[in-house]
Amino acid sequence: MTAVSPRKGPWGSPVLWFWLSAKTLSDISAAINTIIISIYMLSITGSPFSLGLLLACRMAGSVVGAFCIPYASRYFSPSSILIFCDVLSALCMFVLVLSPATSDVLLLYPIVFCIGGLHGGFLVVIMSQSPNFMGYEMRHRMNAILGSISGVAIVAGGITASIIYVLLPVKIIFLLDGATFLLAAIIFAFTGRRLTSDRTQTTAASRNAAQPSSVKRRWVQFISAARVSLIALGAVIAARFTEAFGSSTHNVGFPILSEAYDAGNPAFLFGWIMAFWGLGKMCSTFATPNLLHWMEKNGRSIAAVFYVCLIITFALFLAVFEAPGLPLMLILGFCAGFFDGSTETAYYSILQSSPPEAKESVISFSYFIERAGMGMGILLVGHSFSVLGTETTPQLFYGGSILVILVLVGFGFWRRQKNRRIEN
């Protein structure tokens, strides 16, 4: 994926338009199957814990997928990996279409694990390659564009899921979802040849130099990248790990809240909250990159944006669970999406500041940590919702996450002041 000239802007290439449309289609499919599969599992079992276990399987798959990407990228181009992820995601949905309804409860767990792994690998490739579109200096803008596309997909997926769930059988929805993944893969295949990766030469060199005994060397390289990440970006990655526990709350809680709101259409509230959340993410595209660029230009750390927006996001999500009516829920969901989008743009911009040779491993490692945290969080949250309900659980997990982040910020400030005193 060659860098697009900043003078032309990101929209100067028609090929890039098509590539981004494939990314949008893939994200829409991911948003729809996240909502529909969650509601479907809850309708079959009626158990919040089963829903939590299902989402934990998805997170576990994401961990495996993120872990495998640095290895796979030595042998395959980023474009090939994206095509592979979408084709297999389509096949997973087609398996659900053909399976008998009686076996769906057990089949959903391995299917969701595979989808999570494919989506995790997909995201790591996208975020590690995104600075190549516009150049390093403009990476904030590209990250925000990708975040905006994710927001568009969530809006489209959320609204679509809330409508088609009552109009179509679940199996037909799975069929349409798989077809959308397949369409995205076809577009990636047509555009991939013209968006050549900056790693083509190094990938080919690695393929030629690879030896059967190189597994140990690759493991050592991964551990080395993890060590560098923890030293340079430890507080940020730890905050992202904590964020995963807070995010688990609305991933499990919104389907439960939605079913309680309208048992006749349990996807309605979930879909519309996610749609307004996605709309907020889209709006953050216009403000966040300029702020981050200004801060870097003036020698200020963009980590402050990450921490502040993360705390505000959790406070707003907690307010969604406390809101007395639908209009206020949607407004709060929109605001949460805005700050969540800013959080994500700042986070990946921080990770992308890593050295080029370690960038993909750093992003993979951070995603590994995040998904592992979310997997554990979902299991805890699912159990907590079963025991404590929808009032106490959000207060416990969001409040605890905010407290931990404040401690991390305080620790980072103390370390910085201590280092300054030593230097003086």
Side-chain angles (χ1 to χ4, degrees):
M1 301 175 190
T2 53
V4 177
S5 170
R7 291 189 297 273
K8 290 183 179 180
W11 310 115
S13 169
V15 178
L16 185 56
W17 269 102
F18 283 109
W19 188 93
L20 291 173
S21 71
K23 168 74 166 58
T24 304
L25 287 172
S26 187
D27 285 353
I28 288 173
S29 287
I32 291 175
N33 73 47
T34 297
I35 295 172
I36 297 299
I37 288 178
S38 297
I39 295 297
Y40 184 48
M41 172 60 85
L42 196 59
S43 67
I44 294 174
T45 64
S47 168
F49 181 76
S50 296
L51 174 61
L53 184 61
L54 181 76
L55 295 175
C57 284
R58 188 182 184 107
M59 295 305 107
S62 297
V63 169
V64 175
F67 184 81
C68 291
I69 285 302
Y71 175 82
S73 64
R74 296 176 180 273
Y75 301 96
F76 305 100
S77 69
S79 178
S80 298
I81 295 175
L82 296 180
I83 295 168
F84 176 82
C85 288
D86 272 350
V87 168
L88 285 191
S89 294
L91 291 177
C92 287
M93 302 311 297
F94 295 152
V95 168
L96 286 177
V97 173
L98 298 174
S99 67
T102 53
S103 64
D104 281 348
V105 174
L106 295 178
L107 187 61
L108 279 172
Y109 291 109
I111 290 293
V112 164
F113 176 87
C114 293
I115 291 174
L118 295 166
H119 184 68
F122 182 93
L123 181 61
V124 169
V125 171
I126 292 287
M127 297 315 300
S128 63
Q129 292 295 315
S130 66
N132 302 328
F133 287 109
M134 300 172 65
Y136 177 78
E137 294 298 325
M138 296 293 289
R139 73 191 188 284
H140 312 311
R141 177 66 59 189
M142 193 63 218
N143 289 338
I145 290 170
L146 292 173
S148 179
I149 288 174
S150 177
V152 170
I154 292 168
V155 171
I159 294 175
T160 302
S162 67
I163 294 172
I164 63 176
Y165 186 80
V166 294
L167 297 178
L168 298 173
V170 171
K171 297 289 184 178
I172 299 298
I173 297 175
F174 291 156
L175 177 63
L176 295 175
D177 208 31
T180 307
F181 274 124
L182 205 55
L183 178 59
I186 292 171
I187 298 175
F188 277 133
F190 277 103
T191 57
R193 293 181 180 179
R194 298 185 63 185
L195 287 174
T196 306
S197 169
D198 66 332
R199 295 192 54 182
T200 300
Q201 294 181 351
T202 57
T203 300
S206 297
R207 188 186 300 118
N208 294 334
Q211 300 294 332
S213 61
S214 63
V215 174
K216 181 178 180 180
R217 183 171 65 254
R218 289 192 291 270
W219 176 254
V220 171
Q221 289 173 343
F222 178 81
I223 294 298
S224 177
R227 181 176 58 83
V228 171
S229 301
L230 288 174
I231 293 173
L233 306 170
V236 173
I237 293 178
R240 188 72 168 180
F241 176 77
T242 303
E243 179 196 15
F245 279 85
S247 298
S248 301
T249 306
H250 49 261
N251 275 281
V252 178
F254 281 171
I256 298 171
L257 197 66
S258 185
E259 186 180 48
Y261 182 83
D262 185 357
N265 182 7
F268 175 80
L269 181 63
F270 189 13
W272 279 99
I273 290 177
M274 296 304 290
F276 272 75
W277 174 70
L279 188 62
K281 287 193 71 173
M282 290 167 54
C283 291
S284 73
T285 303
F286 302 102
T288 309
N290 294 331
L291 174 62
L292 297 179
H293 182 72
W294 178 85
M295 292 183 71
E296 281 197 334
K297 187 177 180 180
N298 288 274
R300 301 186 181 183
S301 173
I302 63 177
V305 176
F306 170 72
Y307 291 125
V308 171
C309 290
L310 184 54
I311 291 172
I312 295 174
T313 300
F314 281 156
L316 289 167
F317 272 129
L318 175 59
V320 171
F321 282 92
E322 304 285 346
L326 178 62
L328 184 55
M329 284 182 178
L330 297 182
I331 292 171
L332 291 169
F334 171 85
C335 295
F338 181 91
F339 287 100
D340 193 28
S342 299
T343 298
E344 191 167 313
T345 299
Y347 179 69
Y348 283 109
S349 293
I350 293 168
L351 296 186
Q352 288 161 356
S353 64
S354 305
E357 62 274 9
K359 181 178 60 179
E360 192 170 70
S361 293
V362 168
I363 292 175
S364 174
F365 177 75
S366 68
Y367 193 76
F368 177 94
I369 292 294
E370 175 197 345
R371 297 291 103 173
M374 187 168 286
M376 291 185 287
I378 281 173
L379 289 175
L380 293 174
V381 168
H383 178 69
S384 181
F385 272 114
S386 298
V387 176
L388 301 177
T390 57
E391 293 185 5
T392 305
T393 297
Q395 296 173 356
L396 177 64
F397 280 86
Y398 287 131
S401 297
I402 291 172
L403 181 61
V404 172
I405 293 167
L406 288 173
V407 170
L408 288 171
V409 171
F411 177 75
F413 180 78
W414 173 78
R415 285 292 301 270
R416 184 178 300 177
Q417 294 299 317
K418 181 179 179 181
N419 291 338
R420 286 179 179 176
R421 286 195 297 268
I422 293 174
E423 290 174 0
N424 295 333

